[in-house]
Amino acid sequence: MYFQWYPGHMTKAKRMMQENMKLVDLVIELVDARIPFSSRNPDIDELGRGKARVVLLNKSDLAEERWNDAWSRYFEEKGFLTVKVNSKKGSGMKAIQTVIGEACKEKIERDRKRGILNRPVRAMVVGIPNVGKSTFINALAGKACTKTGNKPGVTKGKQWIRLNRQVELLDTPGILWPKFEDQKVGLCLALIGSIKDEILNTEELAMELIQFMQEKYPGALEEKYHMEAADDSYEMLKGIAKSRHCLVRGNELDVEKAAALLLDDFRNGKLGRITLETCQNKDENERQLRGREDGEA
Ligand SMILES: Nc1nc2c(ncn2[C@@H]2O[C@H](COP(=O)(O)OP(=O)(O)OP(=O)(O)O)[C@@H](O)[C@H]2O)c(=O)[nH]1
Ligand SMILES: [Mg+2]
């Protein structure tokens, strides 16, 4: 399966972000805790050059805690202020207020010396589609001021949100980049729902997930769907269809429906807390990230 999704609205969004970058003091980048490597858009380093930076490990409730901690350390070692968050529940929000203040300390001090008092800190909230940017803003604001939804491409344009007298946030549409040098990155993005499902082959994607689960979380699928293990991913999919009574024309197994159901269960955390990408091999990650940047040039 080949993954690519870079529709026109993302080019437009990137241009808007470039234009608005001069207005902000800080870039808050959300990554998905299940794929902290693949959910980092290499274009954001370029866009946010010279700005204070914060990385939020969002959807941390869906990933394994030991890997959340390891990834937090990884980003901290790279010099980012990092916070683990669950925007859906609103946890981690207190720590964020502190981190925003810390990240903008120099700017606040500079303003103070020039006699500028009480100018709010402006932060641009960025990240791949469906990572939870708008949900995060709502959680921080304590009210629903932006539109959210469990599919990529919900936010279409920019929206400024005034949190309080000290902080203003800019919500932006999720953006990907023109080419995934490593198709494993595309696979991860598709699995978590950052690539439009309509252009994906659901069955193949589900089989990729089954393969991963059988290798890294053996027994989890059998337990969840009350079924026997099978060697072949397609047979496993059939097993899920049988167990969940996914049928067409009376009694034929509806494998496609089972595939969609499995992906939904994974995305909603119903298979348990799963980390797709671990940070065991940091050098390899670095090399791949550089490869992506080279590919962009
Ligand atoms: N479990 C869990 N779900 C989350 C979390 N944050 C966001 N979500 C869910 O993820 C989905 C996407 O959230 P949005 O806030 O719309 O994502 P977005 O990044 O603004 O997406 P675009 O506007 O499409 O780029 C929604 O169904 C949210 O409820 C989280 O920390 N944990
Ligand atoms: Mg949004």
Side-chain angles (χ1 to χ4, degrees):
M1 215 183 338
Y2 185 77
F3 300 96
Q4 204 53 70
W5 191 43
Y6 194 63
H9 79 258
M10 289 189 193
T11 321
K12 218 172 115 197
K14 193 174 151 190
R15 207 174 308 129
M16 176 280 285
M17 287 156 76
Q18 252 155 354
E19 285 163 8
N20 283 273
M21 198 53 87
K22 53 184 172 298
L23 303 176
V24 308
D25 310 295
L26 169 71
V27 174
I28 300 178
E29 178 184 1
L30 270 73
V31 300
D32 189 299
R34 294 164 295 176
I35 55 164
F37 172 70
S38 292
S39 59
R40 289 207 65 211
N41 183 341
D43 289 349
I44 288 171
D45 279 339
E46 182 68 37
L47 278 170
R49 191 158 286 165
K51 299 288 172 185
R53 299 283 299 273
V54 169
V55 168
L56 302 184
L57 216 51
N58 195 39
K59 305 203 183 184
S60 59
D61 55 306
L62 300 178
E64 276 194 72
E65 198 57 18
R66 62 183 173 130
W67 288 116
N68 291 342
D69 290 335
W71 276 110
S72 296
R73 281 196 300 276
Y74 171 84
F75 287 116
E76 274 158 10
E77 277 167 23
K78 284 171 79 75
F80 295 109
L81 287 161
T82 311
V83 188
K84 277 187 296 190
V85 281
N86 170 355
S87 297
K88 206 170 175 175
K89 276 253 168 71
S91 67
M93 297 304 139
K94 262 212 189 96
I96 288 167
Q97 296 278 9
T98 316
V99 161
I100 291 178
E102 216 171 296
C104 297
K105 222 191 274 168
E106 273 179 42
K107 175 236 164 236
I108 294 165
E109 188 56 21
R110 233 181 7 249
D111 277 1
R112 201 183 57 78
K113 278 189 185 145
R114 288 197 207 135
I116 308 169
L117 294 177
N118 302 326
R119 184 170 83 73
V121 165
R122 291 203 197 96
M124 189 185 289
V125 179
V126 301
I128 58 162
N130 205 32
V131 69
K133 299 174 292 298
S134 303
T135 306
F136 160 71
I137 291 174
N138 291 345
L140 201 57
K143 56 179 190 252
C145 31
T146 68
K147 192 175 164 210
T148 65
N150 201 2
K151 59 176 189 187
V154 172
T155 305
K156 305 275 189 234
K158 66 170 182 174
Q159 185 184 349
W160 281 103
I161 293 100
R162 196 183 173 120
L163 277 193
N164 47 43
R165 271 190 302 170
Q166 286 94 39
V167 185
E168 288 174 11
L169 297 177
L170 179 62
D171 191 14
T172 64
I175 58 166
L176 295 170
W177 53 104
K179 187 163 184 272
F180 307 130
E181 290 299 322
D182 182 347
Q183 281 291 303
K184 268 190 267 165
V185 170
L187 171 64
C188 285
L189 291 167
L191 284 173
I192 65 156
S194 287
I195 295 180
K196 187 164 84 159
D197 272 330
E198 290 82 344
I199 62 166
L200 298 169
N201 181 327
T202 316
E203 275 180 39
E204 277 183 39
L205 192 60
M207 288 198 296
E208 293 279 0
L209 179 61
I210 291 172
Q211 231 169 35
F212 170 85
M213 291 296 293
Q214 295 300 74
E215 195 183 316
K216 302 287 184 193
Y217 297 87
L221 294 178
E222 290 84 344
E223 193 186 326
K224 166 79 185 162
Y225 298 108
H226 308 290
M227 58 189 264
E228 296 287 313
D231 291 338
D232 180 59
S233 311
Y234 194 72
E235 286 304 313
M236 287 291 289
L237 209 46
K238 278 170 45 184
I240 296 172
K242 210 181 285 173
S243 134
R244 286 298 147 108
H245 308 292
C246 303
L247 301 169
V248 266
R249 274 181 256 116
N251 52 6
E252 229 173 275
L253 291 177
D254 189 343
V255 176
E256 190 163 348
K257 191 169 168 198
L261 185 146
L262 172 69
L263 289 171
D264 266 0
D265 281 350
F266 163 69
R267 289 171 182 171
N268 296 323
K270 294 197 181 132
L271 303 181
R273 295 175 75 159
I274 289 161
T275 300
L276 292 176
E277 248 170 11
T278 59
C279 54
Q280 272 155 324
N281 196 342
K282 290 181 198 166
D283 292 341
E284 178 65 8
N285 285 350
E286 296 294 332
R287 194 188 58 73
Q288 284 183 21
L289 196 62
R290 272 201 301 277
R292 276 153 64 183
E293 279 166 353
D294 291 347
E296 279 291 293

